[in-house]
Amino acid sequence: MISSWSADVAVDGSEMTAASLPYNGQLDPGASTSFGFCANKTGAAWQPQVVSAAHR
């Protein structure tokens, strides 16, 4: 189970994608936003890893 805030989160197997929401998808130059998620995972590779980040 995953819960998130400030993002539209989708899970496909072991991959999670977080997309912007209408209120934080358009930022002025130099501005920033953030999001978060909570998930349950066990085993040796339990820490999340950012593979890529991109503007869509």
Side-chain angles (χ1 to χ4, degrees):
M1 174 181 233
I2 293 177
S3 63
S4 65
W5 55 95
S6 299
D8 180 17
V9 174
V11 177
D12 183 12
S14 63
E15 184 174 304
M16 181 180 86
T17 302
S20 62
L21 294 173
Y23 68 86
N24 65 2
Q26 183 81 23
L27 299 174
D28 292 330
S32 66
T33 190
S34 62
F35 73 95
F37 68 95
C38 294
N40 293 324
K41 179 70 175 165
T42 59
W46 63 269
Q47 294 178 313
Q49 180 179 20
V50 174
V51 176
S52 67
H55 177 278
R56 292 186 189 195

